[in-house]
């Protein structure tokens, strides 16, 4: 039997205290009926004797302590799912907002999911060709990976994410794919950029959108990514699709979390974020992957804007500890006009080693990748030195490295948002650039590959 | 059986009333789903319970039942090659039972109850035994002989002991205890995780734990029975270092604890280790590995328990006389779990919200490591080495967890993001890392590798220190300002970094380097330096020396297979001689 309570005692910020309840469970979903008949949702944060503390998912405006009624539904927050969600637009609470009919759910799933048993995971190792050299060649993405983009305000992360969504493919397979896109507190324009890009390429029919805009209730942002991931899990693990999940912007999510934590007067960790931010983020990011008993996969690209471009800020910092690498965008490259402005050196893909090489990309991939990294690093150091001391102070070999670094930025990184390079094109371009340096410098590549792939300039 | 009722639920913390009769740190089962929890505080008849599973769905009035026993692990044949969660539930069995996601309230015995093990007694009826004495053995894997021991603190006479094939709970014999009562002997025993297993005596560690990692073995070695920590920001290669240690360390057994880290990393270990062969035994690495996986998305309270579960299992094998390594990745996540529980308990926080008892808890963990004389009549020796990764926020090692750890451990391998960006791996910073075992292990290296070992490793450190001093000058006034000798030092330091310290974990030949080859590599670098020094004083330009073709061969020496490194060493030395002599004669001419 479901009872209704008119015993709301307090409302403060996103929190509400209900007294004299019976049989209410932790993490249960509640529904609040306002005097005007409107229904809002909430979730139990704490059971304390006969009192429960609940967190509202929507704004508390119009809530009336005397007249509003609360009832608890007996289950957690759930999302009705079906394959027909593809091509539809939902709000942050999972309700259709595109004017279409409600979907007929196959089942309802708890949005918190449950952790994947590490013994049941497959290690991600299938190469995804994104067509972006800095990713394919240097920070290779594989199916089931979670690879965030660390960006800053004003940097074109949206363009890069859209480019990946547009171009990404696993070569030699045409399995079912889908995109799940969650807009978390971003502006209309930014959301619209993605939607129109998906429309332009026709990907919209294979896309599920969850939209929480900057103007929507901040507190709804806590559920938005979980809604999206629940839909993604259904499509991936029950419909065997390969799902690419784009979450933007995680910073807004973490701020909503901080709001609730502050309202509960919890002891804060760094910069006022709750001490459990790591665990909380992990329960989202770790939902990516591949697992036994299913053909599908979830590949995740969360986007977050680093406050003040500071990588040590808790949000990028904790994200970096959970995700399998990161693509970092650089303001310096952006100012130089190099697109996508990827900061190559601190970017990383942890899963690349098992996704490249013979049978996946090409035998020389690992060697050239390491060679490009270290040569570019040395070239950048030489250039820094050049700024202080002038070109004359460099040794001849360092001068070549500086020249290499320039060419690398100009041609390898700066490919634009519309060029789609195959992995062979990327690798060959790498060799062409490396040939600026003397062949004896190729210490990180096996001699037989240098022999095989070293560009034969003399003949031309 | 004490039974109480839930009063309050807040995340992993449950408060129950009617629990006056329960003991502190008893394991309780909470709610209809019989979730596993542990009593961590008592106030009158109210018990604060840390629940090791997701608490969604619990409410006021739900039943809480005490089991009357503290959180314990099952110790016996079947541990090795297993993967457990933080409270020793077997993940593989859970997968078979409830699919690829972890469900709540699952009861699954840690050790396989159906599997039969062949037991061979080594004692006979009438023998008197004390805790630690070995009743007999079970060949658990091809490389590990599992010794079935009398549990600590027991004393008695064997009245029955029969060889045969047994399940872990079967009676394999009986002993008459001192008070005259009879007790069954089984293959399995239980031990509470928060209590260190006893030993007879602690010994100072004097033997290195050889890891095959050049930066570690040569510059910052760890002893068997020692403690080490690996702090580093994300992306600096902590996990690769930890995996390398788990793979190549010359210990008998490795307990790898994935504490609040990525699921895929544990999967990687799980899938990769069975295929790797142990260079010492030639058998699969999995046959000496126990995995504890409490990934970051699994309940936070069990993460707190996971390192105790892991180290208790390690102590059990140490008690058999084995050398065991515990590798915990990452202790910061464990500390965060402590912080979260402390916050829920509304304790007064210490630094950065961590509880005031953080340091003492960390010290308790690391102090369980050591080289010991085990209990039991035969005075066998075992060693337990503990290596913990630390994930300092923002890579800033002044934060509480790193600082608390540094006060306890003896080896510090500081990972450096800027080295990682340059793809210098392992990114262990040679300027701020240290090992307090260097002096103590000097004798062993001198006897077992080469008399010159300490001289060479010291020379490496010195050259690298000189390089960092000279680098400051170069940054200000350029390379040209340096004397020829100093430029040679820069060259030599570069060679140490690139040709010796850099080690690729993903290259077959390079992943593990035996000590004698490590020595040969250093020898080669210094042989070149000494010859070059002579050439420079004869007037040869440093530029010409660093451009010599033989440099490439020195660089590739690490990839030379172990079988023929000695011939290659001689041949490279010869080439060095030839090429430098040519330069010298060209100058003279």
């Amino acid at each position: 039997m479901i009872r209704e309570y008119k015993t709301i005692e307090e409302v403060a910020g996103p929190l509400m205290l209900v007294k004299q309840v019976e049989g209410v469970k932790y993490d249960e979903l509640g529904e609040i009926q306002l005097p005007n008949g409107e229904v809002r949702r909430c979730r139990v944060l704490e059971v304390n004797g006969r009192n429960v503390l609940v967190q509202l998912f929507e704004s508390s405006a119009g809530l009336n302590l005397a007249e509003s009624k609360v009832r608890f539904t007996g289950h957690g927050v759930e999302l009705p799912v079906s394959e027909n969600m593809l091509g539809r637009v939902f709000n942050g609470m999972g309700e259709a907002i595109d004017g279409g009919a409600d979907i007929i759910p196959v089942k309802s799933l708890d949005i918190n999911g449950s952790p994947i048993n590490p013994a049941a995971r497959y290690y991600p190792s299938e190469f995804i060709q994104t067509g972006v050299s800095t990713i394919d060649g240097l920070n290779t993405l594989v199916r089931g990976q979670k690879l965030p983009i660390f960006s800053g305000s004003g940097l074109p992360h949206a363009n890069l994410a859209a480019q990946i969504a547009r171009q990404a493919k696993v070569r030699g397979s045409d399995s079912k794919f889908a995109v799940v896109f969650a807009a978390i507190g971003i502006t209309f324009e930014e959301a619209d950029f993605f939607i129109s890009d998906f429309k332009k390429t026709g990907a919209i029919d294979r896309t599920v959108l969850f939209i929480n805009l900057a103007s929507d209730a901040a507190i709804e942002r806590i559920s938005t990514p979980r809604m999206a991931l629940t839909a993604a899990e259904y499509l991936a693990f029950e419909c065997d699709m390969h799902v690419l999940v784009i979450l933007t912007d995680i910073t807004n999510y973490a701020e909503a979390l901080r709001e609730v934590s502050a309202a509960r007067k919890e002891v804060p960790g760094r910069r006022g974020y709750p001490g459990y931010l790591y665990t909380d983020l992990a329960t989202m990011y770790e939902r990516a992957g591949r697992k036994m008993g299913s053909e599908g996969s979830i590949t995740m690209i969360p986007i977050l804007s680093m406050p003040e471009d500071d990588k040590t800020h808790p949000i990028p910092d904790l994200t970096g500890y959970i995700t399998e690498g990161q693509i970092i965008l650089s303001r310096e490259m952006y100012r130089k006009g190099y697109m996508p402005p990827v900061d190559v050196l601190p970017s990383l893909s942890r899963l690349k080693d098992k996704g490249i090489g013979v049978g996946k990309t090409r035998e020389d991939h690992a060697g050239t990748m390491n060679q490009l990294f270290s040569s570019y690093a040395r070239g950048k150091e030489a250039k820094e030195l050049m700024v202080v001391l002038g070109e004359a102070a460099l040794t001849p070999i360092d001068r070549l490295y500086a020249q290499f670094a320039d060419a690398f930025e100009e041609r390898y990184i700066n490919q634009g948002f519309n060029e789609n390079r195959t992995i062979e094109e990327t690798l060959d371009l790498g060799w062409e650039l490396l040939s600026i340096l003397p062949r004896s410098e190729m210490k990180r590549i096996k001699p037989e590959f240098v022999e095989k792939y070293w560009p034969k300039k003399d003949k031309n | 059986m004490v039974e109480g009722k839930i009063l309050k639920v807040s995340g992993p913390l449950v408060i129950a009333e009617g629990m006056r009769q329960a003991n502190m740190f008893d394991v309780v089962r909470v709610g209809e789903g019989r979730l596993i929890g542990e009593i961590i505080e008592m106030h009158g008849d109210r018990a604060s319970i840390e629940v090791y599973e997701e608490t969604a769905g619990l409410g006021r009035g739900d039943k809480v039942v005490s089991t009357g026993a503290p959180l314990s692990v099952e110790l016996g044949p079947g541990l090795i090659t297993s993967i457990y969660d933080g409270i020793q539930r077997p993940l593989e069995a859970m997968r078979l039972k409830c699919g690829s996601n972890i469900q709540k309230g699952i009861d699954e015995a840690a050790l396989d109850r159906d599997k039969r093990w062949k037991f061979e007694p080594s004692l006979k009826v009438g023998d008197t035994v004390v805790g630690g004495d070995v009743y007999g053995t079970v060949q658990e894997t091809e490389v590990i002989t599992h010794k079935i021991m009398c549990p600590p603190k027991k004393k008695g006479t064997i009245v029955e002991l029969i060889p045969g094939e047994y399940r872990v709970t079967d009676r394999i014999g009986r002993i008459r205890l001192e008070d005259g009562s009879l007790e069954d002997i089984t293959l399995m025993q239980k031990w509470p995780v928060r209590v260190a297993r006893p030993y007879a005596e602690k010994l100072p560690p004097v033997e290195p734990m050889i890891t095959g990692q050049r930066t570690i073995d040569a510059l910052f070695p760890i002893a068997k029975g020692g403690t080490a920590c690996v702090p580093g920001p994300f992306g600096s290669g902590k996990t690769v270092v930890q995996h390398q240690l788990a793979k190549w360390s010359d210990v008998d057994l490795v307990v790898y604890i994935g504490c609040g880290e990525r699921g895929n990393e544990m999967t990687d270990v799980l899938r990769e280790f069975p295929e790797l062969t142990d260079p010492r035994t030639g058998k699969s690495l999995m046959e000496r590995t126990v995995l504890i996986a409490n990934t970051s998305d699994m309940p936070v309270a069990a993460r707190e328990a996971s390192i105790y579960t892991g180290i208790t299992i390690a102590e059990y094998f140490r008690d058999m006389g084995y050398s065991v390594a515990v590798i915990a990745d990452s202790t910061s996540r464990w500390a965060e779990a402590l912080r979260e529980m402390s916050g829920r308990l509304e304790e007064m926080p210490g630094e950065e919200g961590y509880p005031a008892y953080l340091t003492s808890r960390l010290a308790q963990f690391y102090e369980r490591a050591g080289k010991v004389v085990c209990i039991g009549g035969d005075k066998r020796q075992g060693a337990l080495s503990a290596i913990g990764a630390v994930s300092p926020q923002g890579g800033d090692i002044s934060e509480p967890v790193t600082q608390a750890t540094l006060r306890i451990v003896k080896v510090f391998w500081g990972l450096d993001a800027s080295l990682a960006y340059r793809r210098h791996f392992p990114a262990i910073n040679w300027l701020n890392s240290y090992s307090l075992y260097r002096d103590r292990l000097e004798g062993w290296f001198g006897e077992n590798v080469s008399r010159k070992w300490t001289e060479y490793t010291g020379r490496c450190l010195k050259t690298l220190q000189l390089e960092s001093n000279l680098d400051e000058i170069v940054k200000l006034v350029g390379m040209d300002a340096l004397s020829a000798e100093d430029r040679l030092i820069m060259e030599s330091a570069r060679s140490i970094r690139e040709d010796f310290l850099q080690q690729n974990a993903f290259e077959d030949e390079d992943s593990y380097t035996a000590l004698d080859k490590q020595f040969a590599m250093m020898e080669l670098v210094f042989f070149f330096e000494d010859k070059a020094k002579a050439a420079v004083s004869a007037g040869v330009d440093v530029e010409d020396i660093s451009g010599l073709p033989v440099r490439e061969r020195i660089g590739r020496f690490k990839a030379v297979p172990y079988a023929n490194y000695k011939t290659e060493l001689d041949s490279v030395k010869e080439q060095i001689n030839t090429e430098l002599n040519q330069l010298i004669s060209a100058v003279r001419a």
Side-chain angles (χ1 to χ4, degrees):
Chain A
M1 189 194 72
I2 290 174
R3 280 203 228 165
E4 276 190 340
Y5 299 100
K6 289 179 79 174
T7 48
I8 304 176
E9 184 76 15
E10 275 176 36
V11 182
L15 302 182
M16 186 172 90
L17 186 71
V18 190
K19 290 205 150 174
Q20 303 297 320
V21 297
E22 212 43 74
V24 177
K25 308 293 185 192
Y26 176 69
D27 212 28
E28 194 174 336
L29 175 71
E31 287 177 346
I32 308 159
Q33 195 174 19
L34 269 53
N36 64 5
E38 194 186 329
V39 173
R40 292 196 188 148
R41 295 198 270 182
C42 61
R43 176 174 77 107
V44 178
L45 277 189
E46 188 178 296
V47 179
N48 193 355
R50 298 190 65 190
N51 300 346
V52 290
L53 182 71
V54 301
Q55 173 214 315
L56 300 170
F57 280 117
E58 288 135 290
S59 99
S60 54
L63 231 159
N64 174 315
L65 297 194
E67 297 298 324
S68 303
K69 287 179 280 191
V70 192
R71 60 189 201 100
F72 293 92
T73 57
H75 57 76
V77 187
E78 292 182 339
L79 176 74
V81 290
S82 114
E83 219 166 319
N84 296 328
M85 294 176 94
L86 289 169
R88 301 291 303 272
V89 185
F90 301 88
N91 69 7
M93 287 302 293
E95 295 151 343
I97 50 166
D98 52 2
D102 281 349
I103 61 157
I104 299 161
V106 176
K107 54 164 94 175
S108 279
L109 295 174
D110 190 309
I111 63 160
N112 288 318
S114 54
I116 302 180
N117 187 334
R121 280 181 187 267
Y122 286 124
Y123 195 73
S125 63
E126 281 172 289
F127 168 65
I128 297 179
Q129 180 179 298
T130 64
V132 181
S133 289
T134 42
I135 296 177
D136 292 351
L138 304 175
N139 299 295
T140 317
L141 179 70
V142 296
R143 254 184 195 166
Q145 185 173 13
K146 36 193 181 297
L147 188 66
I149 299 175
F150 287 8
S151 180
S153 17
L155 292 178
H157 45 259
N159 302 56
L160 179 59
Q163 184 179 22
I164 295 170
R166 195 166 60 227
Q167 299 178 349
K169 63 170 181 182
V170 170
R171 300 208 299 175
S173 82
D174 47 16
S175 35
K176 292 191 287 181
F177 80 97
V179 177
V180 172
F181 177 81
I184 310 164
I186 59 173
T187 59
F188 166 77
E189 278 145 78
E190 212 174 336
D192 185 59
F193 167 82
F194 278 101
I195 296 172
S196 49
D197 199 84
F198 292 149
K199 276 188 183 147
K200 213 161 57 194
T201 56
I204 193 81
D205 297 335
R206 313 279 319 152
T207 303
V208 188
L209 296 133
F210 289 86
I211 308 282
N212 168 284
L213 295 181
S215 53
D216 295 331
I219 214 70
E220 208 180 286
R221 281 164 209 162
I222 292 181
S223 60
T224 311
R226 296 202 158 79
M227 293 281 170
L229 285 163
T230 306
E233 276 175 356
Y234 174 76
L235 295 174
F237 301 134
E238 299 192 33
C239 306
D240 292 333
M241 292 185 193
H242 292 287
V243 184
L244 178 71
V245 180
I246 299 174
L247 306 173
T248 176
D249 179 323
I250 295 294
T251 307
N252 295 335
Y253 168 82
E255 257 150 35
L257 205 64
R258 178 165 69 174
E259 197 178 321
V260 176
S261 168
R264 293 187 69 185
K265 302 187 173 64
E266 290 173 332
V267 178
R270 267 175 77 214
R271 297 223 189 178
Y273 290 96
Y276 49 80
L277 182 62
Y278 176 84
T279 307
D280 191 276
L281 289 173
T283 54
M284 299 198 311
Y285 294 145
E286 280 290 329
R287 290 168 83 170
R290 308 202 56 183
K291 63 178 193 181
M292 289 177 185
S294 159
E295 287 299 304
S297 66
I298 296 180
T299 309
M300 198 190 294
I301 302 188
I303 299 172
L304 56 92
S305 43
M306 300 182 277
E308 298 164 41
D309 295 352
D310 175 13
K311 198 161 60 106
T312 64
H313 184 280
I315 301 170
D317 188 56
L318 295 179
T319 298
Y321 276 122
I322 308 163
T323 54
E324 286 133 354
Q326 66 278 337
I327 304 290
I328 299 186
L329 300 189
S330 136
R331 208 164 287 278
E332 187 196 334
M333 297 296 281
Y334 178 67
R335 289 210 190 98
K336 280 186 188 164
Y338 293 156
M339 298 299 156
V342 175
D343 196 351
V344 170
L345 296 180
S347 297
L348 169 75
S349 160
R350 289 167 191 272
L351 302 183
K352 61 179 185 294
D353 299 292
K354 304 232 161 101
I356 62 176
V358 185
K360 298 200 161 140
T361 54
R362 209 166 72 184
E363 54 189 0
D364 57 323
H365 193 158
T368 48
M369 175 178 77
N370 287 329
Q371 189 68 55
L372 284 169
F373 265 122
S374 61
S375 305
Y376 178 54
R378 186 159 170 198
K380 275 189 83 164
E381 269 171 34
K383 278 175 67 185
E384 275 166 29
L385 210 58
M386 206 159 88
V387 174
V388 184
L389 305 164
E391 201 177 335
L394 295 186
T395 57
I397 183 84
D398 276 342
R399 235 168 282 162
L400 282 178
Y401 271 106
Q403 196 187 331
F404 164 82
D406 283 333
F408 179 80
E409 288 178 1
E410 176 83 42
R411 298 184 51 204
Y412 197 89
I413 299 177
N414 181 30
Q415 72 176 92
F417 290 116
N418 294 310
E419 192 176 333
N420 187 358
R421 292 179 184 161
T422 65
I423 183 65
E424 285 79 15
E425 283 167 349
T426 292
L427 290 172
D428 291 342
L429 177 62
W431 279 107
E432 194 186 323
L433 293 167
L434 283 174
S435 70
I436 294 173
L437 302 169
R439 192 166 153 171
S440 59
E441 289 292 308
M442 301 297 118
K443 287 185 188 165
R444 305 213 175 206
I445 311 178
K446 287 193 174 151
E448 59 260 40
F449 298 148
V450 181
E451 188 56 41
K452 187 167 168 190
Y453 293 103
W454 189 254
K456 314 273 186 293
K457 284 182 200 161
D458 317 333
K459 288 178 187 167
N460 306 328
Chain B
M1 273 310 145
V2 182
E3 198 176 306
K5 285 197 176 343
I6 294 184
L7 201 61
K8 178 177 172 178
V9 187
S10 169
L13 177 74
V14 166
I15 294 181
E17 57 184 354
M19 302 291 289
R20 188 179 276 279
Q21 301 299 320
N23 304 319
M24 276 293 278
F25 296 107
D26 270 0
V27 170
V28 293
R29 307 304 292 256
V30 181
E32 288 300 304
R34 294 180 54 73
L35 310 183
I36 301 168
E38 191 181 1
I39 299 178
I40 52 173
E41 269 186 13
M42 298 285 283
H43 300 278
D45 74 337
R46 291 186 182 181
S48 302
I49 298 161
E50 177 175 43
V51 180
Y52 292 124
E53 298 181 74
E54 178 54 53
T55 49
L58 292 181
R60 187 177 83 99
D62 286 359
K63 212 164 59 173
V64 176
V65 184
S66 164
T67 60
L71 184 65
S72 304
V73 285
E74 294 184 357
L75 302 166
L79 285 170
I80 302 171
T81 73
S82 291
I83 176 167
Y84 294 112
D85 79 350
I87 47 174
Q88 215 204 6
R89 287 182 301 180
L91 288 170
E92 190 62 40
M94 281 167 78
R95 178 180 76 78
L96 295 172
K97 194 167 174 182
C98 65
S100 45
N101 288 58
I102 292 175
Q103 309 297 333
K104 289 194 287 183
I106 293 179
D107 253 325
E108 193 65 53
L111 298 176
D112 191 335
R113 289 289 189 268
D114 298 324
K115 187 160 179 180
R116 284 174 187 275
W117 301 92
K118 190 160 182 271
F119 170 71
E120 308 247 13
S122 49
L123 295 177
K124 55 184 187 310
V125 172
D127 286 350
T128 54
V129 288
V130 294
D133 281 344
V134 178
Y135 290 127
T137 56
V138 164
Q139 194 64 37
E140 185 171 355
T141 67
E142 283 188 75
V143 292
I144 299 282
T145 309
H146 196 114
K147 296 176 184 159
I148 307 301
M149 296 174 292
C150 176
K153 295 177 196 157
K154 287 251 160 73
K155 214 169 182 181
T157 318
I158 300 176
V159 291
E160 181 189 314
L161 196 62
I162 308 162
E165 305 231 332
Y166 295 105
R167 290 174 296 212
V168 287
T169 48
D170 291 343
R171 184 174 91 193
I172 60 170
R174 280 189 295 179
I175 63 169
R176 186 173 300 281
L177 298 176
E178 279 183 318
D179 60 3
S181 62
L182 282 176
E183 198 177 81
D184 288 353
I185 303 170
T186 55
L187 295 179
M188 181 185 94
Q189 51 176 290
K190 281 193 170 191
W191 191 262
V193 297
R194 296 190 195 274
V195 181
R197 282 176 67 89
Y199 50 83
E201 190 190 344
K202 224 169 206 180
L203 303 169
V206 286
E207 196 187 320
M209 183 175 106
I210 298 153
T211 64
Q213 309 306 303
R214 297 189 289 263
T215 315
I216 292 175
D217 289 345
L219 303 188
F220 312 109
I222 174 173
K224 279 185 182 149
T227 50
C229 73
V230 199
F234 64 85
S236 57
K238 264 191 312 296
T239 301
V240 178
V241 169
Q242 299 267 65
H243 282 197
Q244 287 294 91
L245 293 174
K247 282 177 197 168
W248 307 124
S249 295
D250 73 329
V251 291
D252 300 307
L253 203 101
V254 172
V255 179
Y256 193 97
I257 309 168
C259 174
E261 287 289 311
R262 306 175 182 90
N264 278 331
E265 278 170 6
M266 295 315 294
T267 312
D268 187 24
V269 175
L270 204 58
R271 306 269 175 267
E272 191 185 7
F273 276 31
E275 284 158 32
L276 292 170
T277 43
D278 185 341
R280 296 182 312 137
T281 60
K283 302 285 185 250
S284 154
L285 274 177
M286 203 62 199
E287 297 204 350
R288 59 160 218 185
T289 310
V290 182
L291 293 174
I292 313 284
N294 213 86
T295 55
S296 54
D297 52 342
M298 281 154 79
V300 68
R303 194 191 294 169
E304 194 264 328
S306 66
I307 71 165
Y308 296 110
T309 301
I311 201 149
T312 309
I313 293 173
E315 281 175 337
Y316 173 66
F317 284 101
R318 174 206 67 189
D319 288 347
M320 295 180 201
Y322 288 121
S323 165
V324 188
V326 168
I327 295 174
D329 187 9
S330 142
T331 54
S332 293
R333 305 298 160 227
W334 169 81
E336 277 167 18
L338 273 190
R339 174 168 72 182
E340 188 170 341
M341 285 316 295
S342 163
R344 304 254 185 207
L345 288 169
E346 291 166 8
E347 292 172 339
M348 187 65 81
E351 252 179 297
E352 288 194 21
Y354 288 104
Y357 45 80
L358 171 70
T359 316
S360 59
R361 291 279 173 90
L362 266 173
Q364 277 165 15
F365 168 72
Y366 282 108
E367 207 40 33
R368 287 172 79 169
K371 187 173 171 66
V372 302
V373 176
C374 309
I375 54 168
D378 62 353
K379 301 268 175 254
R380 58 187 181 271
Q381 291 187 5
L384 201 175
S385 320
I387 297 152
V390 186
S391 319
Q393 294 213 344
D396 170 17
I397 63 164
S398 67
E399 57 92 40
V401 184
T402 318
Q403 285 307 313
T405 308
L406 284 180
R407 292 202 336 244
I408 309 155
V409 300
K410 300 283 182 288
V411 182
F412 168 61
W413 296 315
L415 298 180
D416 191 329
S418 68
L419 288 176
Y421 296 163
R422 277 188 270 156
R423 295 306 185 261
H424 174 107
F425 287 115
I428 297 174
N429 184 324
W430 47 85
L431 296 175
N432 67 10
S433 300
Y434 59 79
S435 162
L436 299 181
Y437 297 115
R438 259 180 80 83
D439 299 337
R440 196 171 270 176
L441 299 176
E442 200 180 315
W444 190 95
F445 282 114
E447 239 159 72
N448 293 282
V449 191
S450 162
R451 293 261 154 246
K452 286 192 159 178
W453 177 269
T454 312
E455 181 196 327
Y456 278 14
T457 55
R459 191 167 162 187
C460 281
L461 284 170
K462 192 176 163 200
T463 312
L464 292 166
Q465 180 61 49
L466 283 174
E467 181 198 31
S468 98
N469 298 348
L470 291 172
D471 217 31
E472 311 246 303
I473 303 175
V474 173
K475 279 201 182 114
L476 284 175
V477 288
M479 194 65 123
D480 289 342
L482 295 186
S483 68
E485 284 75 19
D486 285 347
R487 287 181 65 179
L488 198 61
I489 288 172
M490 295 290 279
E491 275 303 317
S492 192
R494 184 201 286 277
S495 177
I496 293 171
R497 285 190 282 112
E498 291 180 0
D499 306 333
F500 181 62
L501 296 184
Q502 277 182 15
Q503 189 166 5
N504 190 338
F506 303 99
E507 288 276 339
D508 296 340
E509 214 41 71
D510 204 18
S511 188
Y512 173 89
T513 311
L515 287 182
D516 52 342
K517 189 181 165 194
Q518 293 191 22
F519 183 77
M521 292 174 79
M522 286 189 276
E523 193 185 340
L524 194 58
V525 170
F526 293 132
F527 181 83
F528 183 84
E529 191 190 356
D530 292 341
K531 293 285 164 191
K533 219 177 261 170
V536 167
S537 47
V540 177
D541 192 357
V542 180
E543 207 55 44
D544 293 336
I545 293 175
S546 51
L548 285 176
V550 74
R551 296 293 323 221
E552 200 182 327
R553 268 187 88 187
I554 300 175
R556 295 203 188 281
F557 187 66
K558 58 175 91 163
V560 175
Y562 181 74
N564 38 2
Y565 87 88
K566 281 183 181 142
T567 36
E568 175 72 9
L569 177 67
D570 293 338
S571 137
V572 178
K573 277 183 175 174
E574 206 179 295
Q575 195 182 340
I576 292 172
N577 271 332
T578 330
E579 287 184 5
L580 282 170
N581 286 340
Q582 271 169 4
L583 286 181
I584 294 171
S585 39
V587 171
R588 291 205 176 119

